[in-house]
Amino acid sequence: MQKFLISNLKISVISIVLFSVLFILTNANFYASEITESATATNPLHEKRLQNLSAEFRCLVCQNQTIADSDADLAVDLRKEIRTMIADGKTDEQIIDFMTERYGDFVLYRPPFKAQTALLWLLPAAFFAIGVMIFFNFVTKNKRSSQQNSNENSNNISENKLSAEELQQAKDLLK
């Protein structure tokens, strides 16, 4: 019985140690990337440029966040790439050109107006204009139909005048 307990205790200790090692190894990349990104903030001007440029690029993984806001691995890699290009003395325009050449206009959070992106810029305005036209069409149709209904009702009322006897009965009922 005692050998059985010692054997189970050894297995439990080994399991705990293996679980701890696996936990540390799987989370080491997260801690390393946090340390690496914060440790590179040595030049405040470069970091300011990095923040400004990172706000201009869309995270290709998240798609609705900038790479400055995203924690995706690709966003971290792109920030590192931008940081390296800034350290190499590249201008903002050169960095933007590099990113758009590599990933296309989609990487820009505010893509430029050109032939390839014309639909992207014009479709919202077109949908808005169509919606306004539908709304006014609906309102004018309802206005016309309500006017026609009121005209028909007034005609019916004038045709259905009450006699003096019917008026007296109505007054008696209302008392």
Side-chain angles (χ1 to χ4, degrees):
M1 178 75 171
Q2 192 175 13
K3 287 183 181 181
F4 178 73
L5 290 175
I6 292 174
S7 169
N8 280 344
L9 181 65
K10 285 181 182 178
I11 291 173
S12 298
V13 169
I14 291 171
S15 298
I16 291 171
V17 168
L18 284 175
F19 177 75
S20 300
V21 168
L22 285 174
F23 180 77
I24 290 169
L25 288 176
T26 56
N27 291 315
N29 185 28
F30 172 75
Y31 295 116
S33 68
E34 290 294 319
I35 291 169
T36 307
E37 280 214 72
S38 63
T40 56
T42 54
N43 187 339
L45 293 176
H46 286 186
E47 280 305 305
K48 184 67 176 167
R49 276 186 66 201
L50 172 69
Q51 289 303 315
N52 290 339
L53 283 168
S54 296
E56 294 295 319
F57 296 117
R58 178 186 316 275
C59 177
L60 299 171
V61 175
C62 307
Q63 295 187 5
N64 62 344
Q65 288 183 320
T66 63
I67 62 171
D69 299 332
S70 176
D71 292 329
D73 289 338
L74 179 62
V76 172
D77 291 342
L78 289 176
R79 286 192 300 264
K80 286 179 188 175
E81 182 73 27
I82 292 170
R83 190 176 277 120
T84 303
M85 288 190 271
I86 289 172
D88 291 344
K90 303 251 175 156
T91 65
D92 290 355
E93 290 79 25
Q94 289 173 324
I95 295 171
I96 291 170
D97 289 343
F98 170 79
M99 296 291 275
T100 54
E101 183 179 308
R102 189 170 187 184
Y103 298 106
D105 285 331
F106 184 74
V107 77
L108 297 174
Y109 214 66
R110 289 178 284 270
F113 185 83
K114 50 187 183 180
Q116 291 90 357
T117 60
L119 286 178
L120 178 69
W121 286 100
L122 298 177
L123 276 180
F127 284 136
F128 180 75
I130 291 169
V132 167
M133 290 179 356
I134 290 171
F135 174 76
F136 281 117
N137 188 21
F138 179 76
V139 168
T140 55
K141 268 187 179 177
N142 281 345
K143 200 176 208 183
R144 273 190 249 133
S145 67
S146 67
Q147 285 175 352
Q148 287 174 353
N149 287 340
S150 67
N151 288 340
E152 287 173 9
N153 288 341
S154 67
N155 290 339
N156 289 340
I157 291 172
S158 65
E159 291 174 6
N160 297 328
K161 290 187 179 180
L162 298 176
S163 66
E165 186 180 313
E166 290 171 333
L167 273 174
Q168 186 57 39
Q169 284 178 350
K171 285 180 185 178
D172 291 340
L173 287 174
L174 290 174
K175 287 183 186 180

